[in-house]
Amino acid sequence: MSNTAVVEESAEIVAARVRYRASIGGASHEEFVAAKVALVELSTGRSISAEEIDYL
């Protein structure tokens, strides 16, 4: 018997993860930051501050 939970991700999170992966190593730093912010906000349910975005 396993005590591992199975968590299904929403289509929005899956799409955000695909967008983020596609942006890694891409030509646009702005797209990378936007994709990462979207993924973090959808995954955690919290907004990313301007200071955190500047760090990225």
Side-chain angles (χ1 to χ4, degrees):
M1 178 177 223
S2 175
N3 62 356
T4 303
V6 175
V7 178
E8 291 189 36
E9 295 180 320
S10 73
E12 284 183 308
I13 292 176
V14 171
R17 183 171 287 121
V18 168
R19 178 183 175 198
Y20 173 68
R21 286 184 182 152
S23 72
I24 295 172
S28 172
H29 180 70
E30 290 78 15
E31 172 58 18
F32 169 77
V33 171
K36 185 164 189 165
V37 168
L39 179 59
V40 170
E41 289 182 344
L42 284 169
S43 298
T44 65
R46 75 175 189 89
S47 295
I48 304 299
S49 70
E51 184 175 283
E52 289 172 305
I53 291 171
D54 288 342
Y55 178 76
L56 297 173

